[in-house]
Amino acid sequence: MTDRQLDVPLLQQRLREFAAARDWGQYHTPKNLVAALSVEASELLEIFQWLTPEQAAAVMEDPVRAHRVEDEVADVLAYLLQFCSALGVDPLAALAAKIERNEHRFPAGATPPLDGS
């Protein structure tokens, strides 16, 4: 894959064109996209559901499971990118801002909060 094919806005455009060619745009509302994202994330979780930590760490060594993981990761990312596109969210800018906030909230070397926040 070229760097051009890995460009987030280009991938979002390809996803929009794919949906438009099949007249799926009518179904790609934010609510439907986030629901589909949740389903795909659950399908990714299903692969790991009953694995031990050791089995989970080695999942990519099995070609069949590795292919399933890659497909589900692609589905999760596709729906996330479509969701972001529908709402005008720049996913990389949102991630960068979140990392920066977390760096301030959770300084290196500090004890993590017990309440999960």
PDB file of all heavy atoms in Angstrom, residues 16 19-33 82:
ATOM      1  N   ARG A  16     -16.971   6.916   1.347  1.00  0.00           N
ATOM      2  CA  ARG A  16     -18.151   7.646   0.884  1.00  0.00           C
ATOM      3  C   ARG A  16     -18.532   7.216  -0.530  1.00  0.00           C
ATOM      4  O   ARG A  16     -19.706   6.999  -0.831  1.00  0.00           O
ATOM      5  CB  ARG A  16     -17.909   9.158   0.920  1.00  0.00           C
ATOM      6  CG  ARG A  16     -18.067   9.787   2.292  1.00  0.00           C
ATOM      7  CD  ARG A  16     -18.091  11.307   2.237  1.00  0.00           C
ATOM      8  NE  ARG A  16     -16.847  11.874   1.740  1.00  0.00           N
ATOM      9  CZ  ARG A  16     -15.766  12.113   2.486  1.00  0.00           C
ATOM     10  NH1 ARG A  16     -15.772  11.836   3.766  1.00  0.00           N
ATOM     11  NH2 ARG A  16     -14.694  12.644   1.938  1.00  0.00           N
ATOM     12  N   ALA A  19     -20.076   3.714  -0.499  1.00  0.00           N
ATOM     13  CA  ALA A  19     -21.470   3.757  -0.031  1.00  0.00           C
ATOM     14  C   ALA A  19     -22.381   4.402  -1.067  1.00  0.00           C
ATOM     15  O   ALA A  19     -23.489   3.910  -1.315  1.00  0.00           O
ATOM     16  CB  ALA A  19     -21.545   4.502   1.300  1.00  0.00           C
ATOM     17  N   ALA A  20     -21.918   5.474  -1.692  1.00  0.00           N
ATOM     18  CA  ALA A  20     -22.744   6.174  -2.684  1.00  0.00           C
ATOM     19  C   ALA A  20     -23.035   5.290  -3.889  1.00  0.00           C
ATOM     20  O   ALA A  20     -24.158   5.295  -4.408  1.00  0.00           O
ATOM     21  CB  ALA A  20     -22.052   7.462  -3.116  1.00  0.00           C
ATOM     22  N   ALA A  21     -22.065   4.516  -4.317  1.00  0.00           N
ATOM     23  CA  ALA A  21     -22.259   3.641  -5.479  1.00  0.00           C
ATOM     24  C   ALA A  21     -23.308   2.569  -5.213  1.00  0.00           C
ATOM     25  O   ALA A  21     -23.874   2.006  -6.152  1.00  0.00           O
ATOM     26  CB  ALA A  21     -20.926   2.994  -5.870  1.00  0.00           C
ATOM     27  N   ARG A  22     -23.574   2.300  -3.954  1.00  0.00           N
ATOM     28  CA  ARG A  22     -24.548   1.273  -3.577  1.00  0.00           C
ATOM     29  C   ARG A  22     -25.815   1.876  -2.962  1.00  0.00           C
ATOM     30  O   ARG A  22     -26.656   1.169  -2.440  1.00  0.00           O
ATOM     31  CB  ARG A  22     -23.888   0.297  -2.586  1.00  0.00           C
ATOM     32  CG  ARG A  22     -22.833  -0.560  -3.274  1.00  0.00           C
ATOM     33  CD  ARG A  22     -21.725  -0.985  -2.340  1.00  0.00           C
ATOM     34  NE  ARG A  22     -20.725  -1.757  -3.071  1.00  0.00           N
ATOM     35  CZ  ARG A  22     -19.743  -1.213  -3.801  1.00  0.00           C
ATOM     36  NH1 ARG A  22     -19.618   0.103  -3.869  1.00  0.00           N
ATOM     37  NH2 ARG A  22     -18.883  -1.964  -4.452  1.00  0.00           N
ATOM     38  N   ASP A  23     -25.896   3.214  -3.013  1.00  0.00           N
ATOM     39  CA  ASP A  23     -27.023   3.959  -2.443  1.00  0.00           C
ATOM     40  C   ASP A  23     -27.199   3.662  -0.951  1.00  0.00           C
ATOM     41  O   ASP A  23     -28.316   3.548  -0.452  1.00  0.00           O
ATOM     42  CB  ASP A  23     -28.318   3.673  -3.214  1.00  0.00           C
ATOM     43  CG  ASP A  23     -29.386   4.720  -2.939  1.00  0.00           C
ATOM     44  OD1 ASP A  23     -29.035   5.874  -2.614  1.00  0.00           O
ATOM     45  OD2 ASP A  23     -30.580   4.381  -3.014  1.00  0.00           O
ATOM     46  N   TRP A  24     -26.086   3.518  -0.239  1.00  0.00           N
ATOM     47  CA  TRP A  24     -26.130   3.244   1.200  1.00  0.00           C
ATOM     48  C   TRP A  24     -26.070   4.513   2.039  1.00  0.00           C
ATOM     49  O   TRP A  24     -26.255   4.457   3.249  1.00  0.00           O
ATOM     50  CB  TRP A  24     -24.970   2.337   1.614  1.00  0.00           C
ATOM     51  CG  TRP A  24     -25.045   0.940   1.099  1.00  0.00           C
ATOM     52  CD1 TRP A  24     -26.089   0.338   0.454  1.00  0.00           C
ATOM     53  CD2 TRP A  24     -24.023  -0.049   1.200  1.00  0.00           C
ATOM     54  NE1 TRP A  24     -25.768  -0.958   0.134  1.00  0.00           N
ATOM     55  CE2 TRP A  24     -24.504  -1.219   0.581  1.00  0.00           C
ATOM     56  CE3 TRP A  24     -22.744  -0.062   1.745  1.00  0.00           C
ATOM     57  CZ2 TRP A  24     -23.753  -2.389   0.500  1.00  0.00           C
ATOM     58  CZ3 TRP A  24     -21.999  -1.219   1.653  1.00  0.00           C
ATOM     59  CH2 TRP A  24     -22.499  -2.375   1.045  1.00  0.00           C
ATOM     60  N   GLY A  25     -25.809   5.641   1.403  1.00  0.00           N
ATOM     61  CA  GLY A  25     -25.676   6.889   2.151  1.00  0.00           C
ATOM     62  C   GLY A  25     -26.884   7.189   3.020  1.00  0.00           C
ATOM     63  O   GLY A  25     -26.750   7.731   4.120  1.00  0.00           O
ATOM     64  N   GLN A  26     -28.044   6.815   2.538  1.00  0.00           N
ATOM     65  CA  GLN A  26     -29.278   7.062   3.289  1.00  0.00           C
ATOM     66  C   GLN A  26     -29.283   6.361   4.649  1.00  0.00           C
ATOM     67  O   GLN A  26     -29.972   6.772   5.575  1.00  0.00           O
ATOM     68  CB  GLN A  26     -30.485   6.627   2.465  1.00  0.00           C
ATOM     69  CG  GLN A  26     -30.468   5.137   2.124  1.00  0.00           C
ATOM     70  CD  GLN A  26     -31.562   4.734   1.167  1.00  0.00           C
ATOM     71  OE1 GLN A  26     -32.696   5.170   1.312  1.00  0.00           O
ATOM     72  NE2 GLN A  26     -31.214   3.899   0.190  1.00  0.00           N
ATOM     73  N   TYR A  27     -28.505   5.293   4.766  1.00  0.00           N
ATOM     74  CA  TYR A  27     -28.451   4.531   6.012  1.00  0.00           C
ATOM     75  C   TYR A  27     -27.295   4.960   6.913  1.00  0.00           C
ATOM     76  O   TYR A  27     -27.229   4.547   8.065  1.00  0.00           O
ATOM     77  CB  TYR A  27     -28.305   3.033   5.713  1.00  0.00           C
ATOM     78  CG  TYR A  27     -29.364   2.514   4.776  1.00  0.00           C
ATOM     79  CD1 TYR A  27     -29.028   2.128   3.492  1.00  0.00           C
ATOM     80  CD2 TYR A  27     -30.697   2.440   5.167  1.00  0.00           C
ATOM     81  CE1 TYR A  27     -29.999   1.663   2.615  1.00  0.00           C
ATOM     82  CE2 TYR A  27     -31.675   1.981   4.296  1.00  0.00           C
ATOM     83  CZ  TYR A  27     -31.316   1.593   3.024  1.00  0.00           C
ATOM     84  OH  TYR A  27     -32.276   1.138   2.167  1.00  0.00           O
ATOM     85  N   HIS A  28     -26.408   5.772   6.393  1.00  0.00           N
ATOM     86  CA  HIS A  28     -25.200   6.141   7.129  1.00  0.00           C
ATOM     87  C   HIS A  28     -25.398   7.393   7.969  1.00  0.00           C
ATOM     88  O   HIS A  28     -24.659   8.366   7.867  1.00  0.00           O
ATOM     89  CB  HIS A  28     -24.023   6.269   6.170  1.00  0.00           C
ATOM     90  CG  HIS A  28     -23.541   4.948   5.689  1.00  0.00           C
ATOM     91  ND1 HIS A  28     -22.388   4.798   4.977  1.00  0.00           N
ATOM     92  CD2 HIS A  28     -24.046   3.688   5.815  1.00  0.00           C
ATOM     93  CE1 HIS A  28     -22.196   3.518   4.689  1.00  0.00           C
ATOM     94  NE2 HIS A  28     -23.209   2.832   5.181  1.00  0.00           N
ATOM     95  N   THR A  29     -26.405   7.331   8.819  1.00  0.00           N
ATOM     96  CA  THR A  29     -26.635   8.398   9.786  1.00  0.00           C
ATOM     97  C   THR A  29     -25.679   8.190  10.960  1.00  0.00           C
ATOM     98  O   THR A  29     -25.201   7.063  11.183  1.00  0.00           O
ATOM     99  CB  THR A  29     -28.084   8.352  10.301  1.00  0.00           C
ATOM    100  OG1 THR A  29     -28.270   7.123  11.031  1.00  0.00           O
ATOM    101  CG2 THR A  29     -29.099   8.444   9.158  1.00  0.00           C
ATOM    102  N   PRO A  30     -25.403   9.244  11.724  1.00  0.00           N
ATOM    103  CA  PRO A  30     -24.528   9.051  12.890  1.00  0.00           C
ATOM    104  C   PRO A  30     -25.003   7.938  13.818  1.00  0.00           C
ATOM    105  O   PRO A  30     -24.207   7.117  14.268  1.00  0.00           O
ATOM    106  CB  PRO A  30     -24.553  10.418  13.573  1.00  0.00           C
ATOM    107  CG  PRO A  30     -24.775  11.376  12.444  1.00  0.00           C
ATOM    108  CD  PRO A  30     -25.732  10.651  11.520  1.00  0.00           C
ATOM    109  N   LYS A  31     -26.295   7.855  14.075  1.00  0.00           N
ATOM    110  CA  LYS A  31     -26.830   6.810  14.965  1.00  0.00           C
ATOM    111  C   LYS A  31     -26.567   5.421  14.396  1.00  0.00           C
ATOM    112  O   LYS A  31     -26.102   4.522  15.106  1.00  0.00           O
ATOM    113  CB  LYS A  31     -28.329   7.001  15.189  1.00  0.00           C
ATOM    114  CG  LYS A  31     -28.950   5.922  16.091  1.00  0.00           C
ATOM    115  CD  LYS A  31     -30.460   5.976  16.111  1.00  0.00           C
ATOM    116  CE  LYS A  31     -31.149   5.234  15.032  1.00  0.00           C
ATOM    117  NZ  LYS A  31     -30.917   3.845  14.792  1.00  0.00           N
ATOM    118  N   ASN A  32     -26.844   5.236  13.131  1.00  0.00           N
ATOM    119  CA  ASN A  32     -26.630   3.920  12.522  1.00  0.00           C
ATOM    120  C   ASN A  32     -25.150   3.566  12.449  1.00  0.00           C
ATOM    121  O   ASN A  32     -24.775   2.409  12.653  1.00  0.00           O
ATOM    122  CB  ASN A  32     -27.242   3.871  11.124  1.00  0.00           C
ATOM    123  CG  ASN A  32     -28.758   3.848  11.149  1.00  0.00           C
ATOM    124  OD1 ASN A  32     -29.379   3.677  12.191  1.00  0.00           O
ATOM    125  ND2 ASN A  32     -29.348   4.042   9.992  1.00  0.00           N
ATOM    126  N   LEU A  33     -24.322   4.549  12.144  1.00  0.00           N
ATOM    127  CA  LEU A  33     -22.882   4.285  12.047  1.00  0.00           C
ATOM    128  C   LEU A  33     -22.286   3.924  13.404  1.00  0.00           C
ATOM    129  O   LEU A  33     -21.465   3.006  13.500  1.00  0.00           O
ATOM    130  CB  LEU A  33     -22.159   5.488  11.432  1.00  0.00           C
ATOM    131  CG  LEU A  33     -22.457   5.720   9.955  1.00  0.00           C
ATOM    132  CD1 LEU A  33     -21.949   7.082   9.516  1.00  0.00           C
ATOM    133  CD2 LEU A  33     -21.865   4.608   9.096  1.00  0.00           C
ATOM    134  N   GLN A  82     -16.270   6.614   8.933  1.00  0.00           N
ATOM    135  CA  GLN A  82     -17.538   7.080   8.361  1.00  0.00           C
ATOM    136  C   GLN A  82     -18.322   7.905   9.375  1.00  0.00           C
ATOM    137  O   GLN A  82     -18.936   8.921   9.020  1.00  0.00           O
ATOM    138  CB  GLN A  82     -18.364   5.887   7.880  1.00  0.00           C
ATOM    139  CG  GLN A  82     -17.752   5.218   6.654  1.00  0.00           C
ATOM    140  CD  GLN A  82     -18.502   3.963   6.286  1.00  0.00           C
ATOM    141  OE1 GLN A  82     -19.443   4.023   5.500  1.00  0.00           O
ATOM    142  NE2 GLN A  82     -18.101   2.836   6.849  1.00  0.00           N
TER     143      GLN A  82
END
